[in-house]
């Protein structure tokens, strides 16, 4: 929705590379991936990190958007993808580079939970491929109730922490 604005480019989930689980991204890799997205210089130790090929693709698309006049560039970073773990360096990054955050929260916790479980199971956050969407739509996502309730409490704690941020 935000990408429809003529001055904005909003990429997808740059920290959810195809075939890689969310926990593959260490804090160091997340930082290097974000810096790559914005075409920033990497530190020597960051250059040694193996980033997925999609990182270069995101950086290329981000650069292209900038050259086309889209001065505002961003991406979708889910709280479940290590955002809270990275708060110490993110706060510095935001201040240094004058970054603005837009925090969107899904109000329906059950819908958010099912979406997250589906993403973890099928490694697809969004698709425009109708056959893939149809295939995923037919699949059932198991709901382990006890685990789900624990997750709800953990997400509530995250939301409180984000409100303080």
């Amino acid at each position: 929705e935000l990408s429809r604005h003529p001055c904005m480019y909003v990429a997808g989930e740059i920290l959810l590379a195809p075939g890689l689980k969310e926990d593959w991204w260490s804090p160091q890799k997340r930082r290097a991936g974000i810096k790559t997205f914005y075409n920033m210089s990497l530190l020597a130790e960051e250059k040694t990190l193996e980033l997925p090929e999609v990182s270069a693709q995101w950086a290329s698309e981000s650069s292209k958007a900038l050259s086309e006049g889209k001065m505002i560039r961003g991406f979708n970073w889910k709280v479940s993808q290590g955002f809270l773990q990275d708060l110490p360096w993110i706060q510095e990054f935001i201040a240094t580079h004058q970054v603005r955050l837009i925090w969107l929260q899904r109000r329906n916790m059950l819908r958010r939970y099912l979406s997250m479980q589906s993403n973890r199971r099928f490694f697809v956050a969004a698709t425009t491929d109708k056959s893939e969407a149809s295939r995923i739509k037919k699949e059932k996502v198991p709901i382990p109730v006890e685990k789900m309730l624990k997750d709800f409490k953990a997400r509530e704690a995250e939301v409180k922490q984000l409100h303080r941020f």
Side-chain angles (χ1 to χ4, degrees):
E1 204 56 37
L2 293 173
S3 284
R4 292 183 187 184
H5 192 283
C7 296
M8 295 179 83
Y9 167 74
V10 181
E13 294 181 51
I14 67 170
L15 300 177
L16 185 64
L20 297 176
K21 293 184 177 184
E22 287 177 6
D23 59 1
W24 179 85
W25 290 90
S26 66
Q28 295 81 10
K29 288 180 182 179
R30 286 193 295 269
R31 184 178 180 140
I34 289 168
K35 288 171 77 174
T36 299
F37 174 79
Y38 287 111
N39 296 305
M40 296 176 169
S41 298
L42 298 179
L43 301 173
E45 62 268 13
E46 292 171 332
K47 290 179 182 178
T48 64
L49 297 172
E50 183 183 338
L51 296 177
E53 290 179 23
V54 74
S55 292
Q57 177 187 340
W58 287 121
S60 174
E61 289 177 16
S62 175
S63 291
K64 181 181 175 198
L66 185 61
S67 70
E68 292 171 350
K70 295 192 176 200
M71 302 307 290
I72 301 169
R73 297 173 294 149
F75 56 91
N76 185 342
W77 189 2
K78 301 261 193 288
V79 173
S80 63
Q81 294 169 339
F83 180 82
L84 292 173
Q85 293 171 318
D86 293 345
L87 274 181
W89 73 262
I90 281 296
Q91 289 175 318
E92 179 187 332
F93 185 86
I94 287 170
T96 304
H97 301 287
Q98 299 176 339
V99 171
R100 301 292 184 264
L101 290 178
I102 299 173
W103 179 38
L104 304 174
Q105 178 185 0
R106 199 177 255 169
R107 296 275 182 213
N108 185 325
M109 291 180 72
L110 180 58
R111 185 172 178 182
R112 185 204 48 79
Y113 180 81
L114 292 173
S115 175
M116 190 170 63
Q117 292 300 102
S118 178
N119 291 349
R120 286 180 177 159
R121 183 172 181 178
F122 301 110
F123 301 108
V124 176
T127 183
T128 55
D129 181 331
K130 290 183 181 187
S131 65
E132 185 175 34
S134 177
R135 177 185 61 81
I136 292 171
K137 187 177 178 180
K138 291 176 187 173
E139 294 286 335
K140 296 198 183 305
V141 177
I143 304 173
V145 177
E146 285 184 23
K147 185 178 180 206
M148 181 181 66
L149 293 174
K150 279 184 182 177
D151 181 77
F152 284 0
K153 287 183 184 206
R155 296 307 146 238
E156 285 176 341
E158 288 176 348
V159 168
K160 284 180 184 174
Q161 190 174 356
L162 284 167
H163 278 293
R164 284 192 301 268
F165 173 67

